[in-house]
Amino acid sequence: MADVITYREAVAEAPAREMRRDPTVVCLGEDIAETGGVFRTTVGLLKEFGPERVWDTPISEQAIVGAAMGAAMTGIRPVAEIMFSDFSACCWDYLANEIPKVRYMTGGQITVSLVVRTANGGGLGFGFGAQHSRSTENWALTVPGLKIAAPSTPADAIGMLAAAVRGDDPVVFFEHKALLAAKGPPPPPDHVVELGRARVVREGDDLTLVALAAMVPVALEAARRLAEEGIDAEVIDLRGLIPLDTATVLGPLGRTSRLVTVEENPYQGGWGATLVSVVADEGFGLLDAPVRRVAGSACRCRSPTPLKSGSSPPSAGS
């Protein structure tokens, strides 16, 4: 086995491992068979498993996710690919209204055990349009019944997908485009990483940085620069949002007493706000300074200046 594996190679290896283990696992999506995926993340699957288990679909996100839902209700374990996470808006009714509710609507008689893989985030500089460059984890964060995974390393891409495929819950699996060329050690056979388990990737005593996916290496670089100034930062990789591992975040705060969340999502409604609210409820006494959120820019979510008595708030276009 090679000493290192790229994130791109890991994303392709992950479903292959599960398909070898379980004959009910299938893959479907646009251009995933002969082409090997627009990001070359399904290379080799058609050759190894054939067209009965690797399905090229029409250019229809509704068809992809709808077919995956129906297949999962019959006992198949589909791994469906939505080419860009932005396109999940095209099949949002299935993701938000149908798939997560089947178990509840059938009193637990039917589960929808499927994974929706999707390329997430921006920052590649490839000229992708505005409809191809969003970070959309927060969309799924608002939907009860969906699990959310977002690996930052090749080993986690394999281990977390294994857990997602084997579980009984629907999982939205975000693979960040900016990480595709990243390298790391290959995981051992039958590597499984439990969903909802954050990981401390750098220990420190002065503050805690919490990041997800492509923001993990950004946080590590920030920690390196802070170390040059004598500040010892801890970095935590959340790995996913549902389940949200608040215990791993709260634990170090007794030592560091300072928290910064680092997210690519827009500031308003970001996952950092959810995490900060938990810290405020359960760990406020651990803090020696206000929590800070670093997030993507977006429209203003509050008035830029205090309103004077009798004045009107700014319009939506202000």
Side-chain angles (χ1 to χ4, degrees):
M1 182 178 291
D3 293 333
V4 296
I5 186 174
T6 67
Y7 190 95
R8 187 193 313 274
E9 291 167 338
V11 169
E13 174 65 16
R17 289 191 180 191
E18 291 308 296
M19 293 172 82
R20 295 173 193 134
R21 183 191 62 85
D22 183 350
T24 69
V25 178
V26 300
C27 292
L28 66 156
E30 299 169 19
D31 296 326
I32 70 165
E34 291 285 354
T35 305
V38 67
F39 295 106
R40 307 296 291 167
T41 52
T42 56
V43 171
L45 294 184
L46 178 64
K47 181 178 180 180
E48 181 172 355
F49 301 103
E52 292 185 355
R53 297 182 65 192
V54 182
W55 310 336
D56 266 337
T57 67
I59 303 176
S60 170
E61 286 74 24
Q62 283 186 312
I64 295 167
V65 178
M69 175 183 173
M73 292 174 71
T74 70
I76 295 173
R77 290 185 177 265
V79 179
E81 180 183 301
I82 299 300
M83 192 178 292
F84 290 86
S85 65
D86 317 57
F87 299 167
S88 61
C90 300
C91 55
W92 196 242
D93 183 50
Y94 282 114
L95 286 174
N97 256 347
E98 305 297 338
I99 289 171
K101 298 178 180 178
V102 169
R103 179 183 294 179
Y104 308 105
M105 293 175 66
T106 63
Q109 296 179 77
I110 300 175
T111 59
V112 183
S113 304
L114 63 80
V115 180
V116 176
R117 295 178 45 243
T118 188
N120 194 45
L124 287 187
F126 288 169
F128 291 138
Q131 301 91 347
H132 301 69
S133 304
R134 288 202 54 168
S135 187
T136 65
E137 303 99 322
N138 286 352
W139 295 1
L141 181 61
T142 66
V143 180
L146 291 179
K147 288 188 174 181
I148 305 171
S152 69
T153 68
D156 278 354
I158 291 175
M160 292 170 63
L161 188 83
V165 169
R166 300 179 193 190
D168 290 330
D169 298 295
V171 180
V172 185
F173 201 87
F174 292 96
E175 299 155 0
H176 203 288
K177 298 189 289 289
L179 293 172
L180 290 174
K183 297 180 180 179
D190 204 32
H191 180 61
V192 180
V193 176
E194 181 183 359
L195 301 184
R197 294 291 183 185
R199 181 170 67 100
V200 177
V201 294
R202 186 188 193 278
E203 295 186 348
D205 293 324
D206 295 330
L207 81 154
T208 299
L209 302 175
V210 180
L212 183 72
M215 294 300 102
V216 174
V218 171
L220 286 169
E221 174 61 17
R224 184 192 67 78
R225 296 189 186 187
L226 287 170
E228 295 175 353
E229 302 177 16
I231 300 172
D232 190 18
E234 180 151 286
V235 177
I236 295 176
D237 179 359
L238 273 184
R239 286 174 156 170
L241 299 180
I242 300 294
L244 182 63
D245 186 1
T246 56
T248 297
V249 176
L250 287 166
L253 284 182
R255 181 179 69 256
T256 66
S257 300
R258 290 170 172 81
L259 174 66
V260 178
T261 62
V262 187
E263 57 187 308
E264 187 177 351
N265 299 99
Y267 185 89
Q268 72 267 27
W271 60 256
T274 298
L275 183 62
V276 167
S277 71
V278 174
V279 172
D281 286 342
E282 301 181 18
F284 185 78
L286 302 173
L287 297 170
D288 287 342
V291 175
R292 290 289 181 258
R293 291 180 56 212
V294 179
S297 62
C299 60
R300 289 172 177 164
C301 54
R302 60 183 180 183
S303 176
T305 56
L307 295 176
K308 296 180 181 179
S309 176
S311 63
S312 300
S315 66
S318 299

